[in-house]
Amino acid sequence: TSLPGNSSPDTKGAVVELLKIYKRTAATDGFPANDLAYAYQYFVVNNYNVYHNLAPMPAELDPDLRKAADMFDRLTILGTKKTRRVTMYQEKLVYNQFKEGLSEDPKIQKMTDAEKQKAAEILATMQGLIFVMYENAVKNKDDKEIDEARQLAKEAMEKLFETSMDKIHISEF
């Protein structure tokens, strides 16, 4: 698995590149990259997108659309994706939920800024590795590796929320 800008990344180089992507995404979306609540939001939204095959990609690479039997099946799949796609409004709701929950957590209150920064970087790196694996698998139309990346995203979400993935939904309600 390679990362953008690196032909054969070493571990430190890979982490640096993933953190650059994380910070660039935060800036583009209007979130503070140095905020632990944003790191959780980034982790959750992006793993949710990987698990549900919702990451932006050309239709010809979309794993779900490639398996469609006919045009009606494609339309059904596209309709389902549209209802599951996470909007920026929903991302802000997720961020605010984490912001509120973390501010009330005594363990988080005891953390130093350096500890919070390290935790944020771990979340961003973990999610970034899953996403790079997924993205490369999609580009290569490697269904086995797509499924492996989706499974990693599922396990990460289930571990974080301590519940099964079928109970995890991002919505406005």
Side-chain angles (χ1 to χ4, degrees):
T1 304
S2 64
L3 298 170
N6 291 335
S7 56
S8 60
D10 58 66
T11 303
K12 185 177 180 182
V15 170
V16 168
E17 188 62 31
L18 290 171
L19 292 175
K20 283 182 188 176
I21 293 167
Y22 165 77
K23 290 174 184 174
R24 191 169 49 243
T25 302
T28 300
D29 292 347
F31 289 102
N34 63 345
D35 186 338
L36 186 55
Y38 174 68
Y40 274 104
Q41 181 269 352
Y42 180 85
F43 182 86
V44 167
V45 169
N46 286 295
N47 279 314
Y48 182 88
N49 285 337
V50 167
Y51 178 74
H52 291 292
N53 285 325
L54 297 174
M57 68 186 83
E60 67 272 8
L61 295 179
D62 187 299
D64 296 327
L65 293 177
R66 285 190 294 108
K67 296 174 187 169
D70 55 32
M71 184 54 84
F72 294 112
D73 200 16
R74 287 177 63 87
L75 289 173
T76 301
I77 291 166
L78 288 170
T80 300
K81 284 180 180 275
K82 185 175 183 177
T83 62
R84 280 202 166 150
R85 194 155 278 125
V86 181
T87 66
M88 186 52 63
Y89 179 74
Q90 290 168 327
E91 286 193 40
K92 289 178 181 176
L93 290 175
V94 171
Y95 169 75
N96 288 333
Q97 285 178 326
F98 276 113
K99 187 99 174 142
E100 183 179 326
L102 294 174
S103 71
E104 297 170 359
D105 187 329
K107 292 178 195 169
I108 301 297
Q109 291 173 354
K110 291 178 185 176
M111 291 174 74
T112 66
D113 286 344
E115 291 169 328
K116 290 176 188 175
Q117 181 66 29
K118 184 174 184 173
E121 289 175 357
I122 289 169
L123 286 167
T125 302
M126 286 174 46
Q127 197 296 311
L129 290 170
I130 292 170
F131 192 82
V132 167
M133 178 184 181
Y134 176 78
E135 184 177 56
N136 288 336
V138 166
K139 286 178 186 173
N140 295 325
K141 297 182 181 179
D142 184 339
D143 290 336
K144 184 176 183 257
E145 192 165 328
I146 290 169
D147 289 343
E148 289 174 15
R150 291 179 67 234
Q151 183 64 30
L152 288 172
K154 175 185 178 195
E155 290 170 7
M157 293 283 279
E158 289 177 343
K159 186 168 184 156
L160 176 66
F161 290 112
E162 299 178 340
T163 190
S164 66
M165 190 65 188
D166 62 344
K167 293 181 181 178
I168 300 171
H169 303 280
I170 297 177
S171 70
E172 296 174 18
F173 310 105

